[in-house]
Amino acid sequence: MEYTYLKIEEHDQIAVMKVSAPKTLNALCTDVFKDMDDYLNHFDCNKFRVLIVTGDGDKAFVAGADISEMANLGMLQAQTFGARGAAVFRKLEQLYVPVIAAVNGFALGGGCELAMACDIRICSDNAKFGQPEVGLGIIPGFSGTVRLARLVGQGMAKQLIYTGKVIKADEALRIGLVNEVVPQAELMNRAFELANQIAANAPLAVKAAKLCINAEWDMHVDEAIQNESIIFGRCFLTEDQKEGMKAFLEKRKTTFVGK
Ligand code: CO8
């Protein structure tokens, strides 16, 4: 697949979507979102078991929404732009396979929001995170106020958003914004290592776990527990459940087919 603003790599069971806008540190313009939307619409969740999202180059993951495109927008145009980005990020969050953000540098504004729409975030030791929007006279517009507060707690999210402070990788780790920090040269290896660990497990079970965790995020605890029980039961309809348990009892490796 050829895109202007994405570089796609497709390995055996793992795909990589690399945002690529070298002149603007991979900033998100309308056409980046068009490419992303198209790629996600055509993403084959049966063929690929994990998607890795990263940025092109060694300096930035994504340096935010494209400020030159936003500068002269009116209210309705800005709402349209924000809604488009938010919808694409929601599509990513709801993709039927796990998504790993490999944050390889600046993840500011829309870049931090992109990383937060992924299931798992790891970053390089030179990564920097922040929601600097209030310094530009706006607020996060691709669901940053929604996801940051849920990820790191309301108090920390408010502090980061009100101050617009840019934090380093170790601070992002400390507050739970990322799961792991690795040397930059090892970032993609580590992302693939994680992706392979996930891909080795029963794909339908992994997908079911993602569906559960996403859906239960804002459910009442009783409803969430009931939801998990239903999805747990459905796992027993799959060939992979029979295979996983049989292999354990026969003391051999599993071969999961995703059925
Ligand atoms: N948009 C457009 N161009 C950008 C962006 C951006 N977000 N970030 C960097 N660039 C461009 C620079 O203008 C520069 O272009 P040129 O070479 O033509 O001058 C090039 O990329 C390289 O950048 P710098 O020279 O600035 O590189 P530095 O190493 O000096 O600095 C920084 C790197 C710190 C990342 C710096 O570029 C920076 O601060 N960038 C802006 C970061 C930012 O504020 N991001 C948030 C943007 S707002 C946002 O994301 C809101 C999301 C919600 C939108 C809702 C829609 C309504």
Side-chain angles (χ1 to χ4, degrees), residues 13-233:
Q13 294 175 321
I14 297 161
V16 180
M17 181 179 85
K18 194 179 278 188
V19 180
S20 180
K23 288 183 189 156
T24 57
L25 299 181
N26 305 329
L28 302 167
C29 61
T30 297
D31 287 340
V32 177
F33 284 123
K34 274 192 193 147
D35 281 359
M36 263 190 209
D37 194 44
D38 186 75
Y39 182 63
L40 296 177
N41 285 340
H42 293 96
F43 190 84
D44 186 344
C45 291
N46 293 318
K47 184 170 173 195
F48 300 109
R49 294 188 181 182
V50 180
L51 173 64
I52 298 172
V53 176
T54 191
D56 202 8
D58 56 8
K59 190 169 171 185
F61 175 69
V62 163
D66 191 318
I67 297 170
S68 58
E69 181 173 339
M70 282 188 299
N72 294 315
L73 297 183
M75 183 185 78
L76 292 178
Q77 292 165 310
Q79 283 170 343
T80 303
F81 184 54
R84 171 171 291 152
V88 173
F89 288 0
R90 184 73 171 139
K91 204 171 271 184
L92 186 68
E93 186 171 51
Q94 293 182 318
L95 196 72
Y96 198 31
V97 299
V99 182
I100 299 173
V103 179
N104 55 312
F106 288 110
L108 302 178
C112 189
E113 292 170 302
L114 170 60
M116 290 192 292
C118 300
D119 294 287
I120 293 170
R121 282 156 296 287
I122 63 169
C123 75
S124 55
D125 46 10
N126 69 327
K128 289 191 178 156
F129 296 82
Q131 298 288 163
E133 286 88 346
V134 293
L136 295 164
I138 59 172
I139 63 166
F142 301 140
S143 320
T145 60
V146 181
R147 292 197 181 95
L148 189 59
R150 283 169 163 78
L151 267 173
V152 303
Q154 225 187 56
M156 185 56 77
K158 284 177 173 171
Q159 185 172 328
L160 286 172
I161 291 172
Y162 297 170
T163 61
K165 190 181 169 205
V166 173
I167 58 169
K168 292 183 177 166
D170 55 350
E171 177 69 352
L173 180 68
R174 193 187 68 79
I175 65 173
L177 183 53
V178 294
N179 298 5
E180 285 179 34
V181 182
V182 295
Q184 180 156 40
E186 286 165 33
L187 180 68
M188 290 312 287
N189 285 344
R190 179 62 187 140
F192 271 96
E193 195 175 54
L194 272 176
N196 279 314
Q197 278 170 6
I198 294 168
N201 290 320
L204 291 179
V206 171
K207 287 168 177 168
K210 175 165 178 171
L211 280 182
C212 272
I213 297 169
N214 277 3
E216 290 155 11
W217 182 297
D218 53 7
M219 278 181 189
H220 184 275
V221 66
D222 290 320
E223 194 191 350
I225 289 168
Q226 197 182 17
N227 181 70
E228 188 195 71
S229 299
I230 293 167
I231 307 289
F232 170 78

